[in-house]
Amino acid sequence: MVLNVRAVFPGLLFAAMVAMAAQFLSEHYGAPVMLMAILLGIPFQFLSTEERTSVGIAFASRRVLRIGVALLGVRVSVDMVAEIGFANVALVASGVALTILLGLVLAPLFGRSRSFGFLVGGSVAICGASAAMAIASLLPKGENTERDVTFTVVSVTLASTVAMIAYPILISAMGMDSQSAGVFLGGTIHDVAQVVGAGYSVSEETGDISTLVKLFRVGMLAPVVFIGALFLRQSGQGAEGVPLVPGFVIGFLVLAGMNSFGWLPDLAIQTADSVSRACLVTAVAAVGMKTSFEDLRTVGRSAPLMILILTIALAGYVLIGQHILL
């Protein structure tokens, strides 16, 4: 498919401008960048229906997103498993799997689709807004898809921010050591930025461990997306638009493999990481620009309750698992 630059450029430029504004607010006022991107994008919803900008906004919300997710692979390496320890790896990996399964189980009970359960379960289990966006790119498109994605990004970012503040207090009250605290924070908080904030607010050692554990969870995005695509094809839900192994997953795995073998220089890793972040924030801004506040009002109370339950369940599972391991 040939990219029509003239058609894409205006909408993509607007999405990038919103992303830059969100980044400015994040750097100067400490606001969560993904939350700012989607909230700043919503007032510009009219641009997603404007002929001159709609193509570029759609491009940003899907193609730019996939580039950003693929580039996340530079953060991941096989060495992480050895550094974290196999027992903690098993605990974190099983926490991810069980959280997604719980999302799938809860969805029908709350009157939601399995697709929505996969979306919120994956976002809580893996890496917040980034996971929500990646999973959403697989799901069959419906009239409420963009609304559900926007709501999930907003809710999971808010939950992650609350966890960043509350979990260090919980750690202190429980008297956890740096190793246990790092595994708990990295294994339960949704977004990478909030994990970093919470971990280093406890201690430098806790921050290092929590960041490492979190990046391992980010690495689980690839197999989760692959399995999700496989089930969608078998169930016939949007199968014609879902390749068995999405291209961005292949890119993620290739970069993770190159990083594992030490084939990527530090400059390349830092550059790819920065580009990935810019792409993801731009994509989130574009999704915000495709959603209206009126749409969000129709989500209902069941959706935020699901995210709350999943967040508490994941935290409880990791705490109990650590107690058993100790």
Side-chain angles (χ1 to χ4, degrees), residues 163-222:
M164 179 182 67
I165 298 169
Y167 286 2
I169 298 173
L170 177 63
I171 285 169
S172 177
M174 296 182 66
M176 298 173 71
D177 59 30
S178 296
Q179 172 78 12
S180 298
V183 171
F184 173 71
L185 294 175
T188 57
I189 298 179
H190 315 320
D191 287 308
V192 175
Q194 278 83 345
V195 169
V196 172
Y200 286 103
S201 72
V202 176
S203 71
E204 186 170 343
E205 184 181 358
T206 298
D208 291 343
I209 295 170
S210 63
T211 302
L212 189 63
V213 172
K214 181 59 186 179
L215 292 179
F216 171 72
R217 281 171 71 198
V218 171
M220 293 194 67
L221 181 60

Side-chain angles (χ1 to χ4, degrees), residues 12 14-16 18-19 22 32-42 57-66 68-69 127-134 146 149-154 156-157 191 276-291:
L12 179 59
F14 271 108
V18 172
V33 65
M34 294 298 189
L35 179 60
M36 290 299 98
I38 209 157
L39 292 180
L40 289 176
I42 289 174
I57 291 172
F59 177 85
S61 68
R62 293 186 65 81
R63 299 291 183 84
V64 174
L65 160 71
R66 291 174 178 181
V69 172
C127 52
S130 301
M133 298 290 288
E146 301 295 346
V149 174
T150 299
F151 175 83
T152 301
V153 170
V154 170
V156 81
T157 304
D191 287 308
S276 172
R277 181 179 178 83
C279 287
L280 290 173
V281 177
T282 300
V284 169
V287 169
M289 295 169 76
K290 295 173 71 175
T291 310

Side-chain angles (χ1 to χ4, degrees), residues 20 42 47 52 94 118 138 145 192 203 262 279 282 311:
M20 286 188 285
I42 289 174
L47 292 175
R52 289 170 295 179
S94 60
F118 183 34
L138 301 176
T145 301
V192 175
S203 71
C279 287
T282 300
T311 298

Side-chain angles (χ1 to χ4, degrees), residues 197-276:
Y200 286 103
S201 72
V202 176
S203 71
E204 186 170 343
E205 184 181 358
T206 298
D208 291 343
I209 295 170
S210 63
T211 302
L212 189 63
V213 172
K214 181 59 186 179
L215 292 179
F216 171 72
R217 281 171 71 198
V218 171
M220 293 194 67
L221 181 60
V224 166
V225 169
F226 168 73
I227 294 170
L230 187 63
F231 274 103
L232 285 172
R233 286 170 63 90
Q234 291 180 341
S235 65
Q237 297 183 52
E240 65 282 353
V242 181
L244 184 57
V245 184
F248 66 90
V249 172
I250 296 174
F252 182 103
L253 293 174
V254 168
L255 289 173
M258 293 176 68
N259 190 33
S260 297
F261 285 108
W263 294 347
L264 296 176
D266 289 342
L267 180 60
I269 292 174
Q270 293 169 7
T271 301
D273 190 33
S274 297
V275 173
S276 172

Side-chain angles (χ1 to χ4, degrees), residues 93-107 114 116-126 131 135 220-221 223-225 227-228 306 310 314:
S94 60
V96 168
L98 290 174
T99 302
I100 294 172
L101 288 174
L102 181 59
L104 294 173
V105 170
L106 287 177
R114 298 279 188 186
F116 186 79
F118 183 34
L119 178 67
V120 298
S123 64
V124 170
I126 305 172
I135 291 170
M220 293 194 67
L221 181 60
V224 166
V225 169
I227 294 170
M306 278 183 63
L310 290 171
L314 178 59

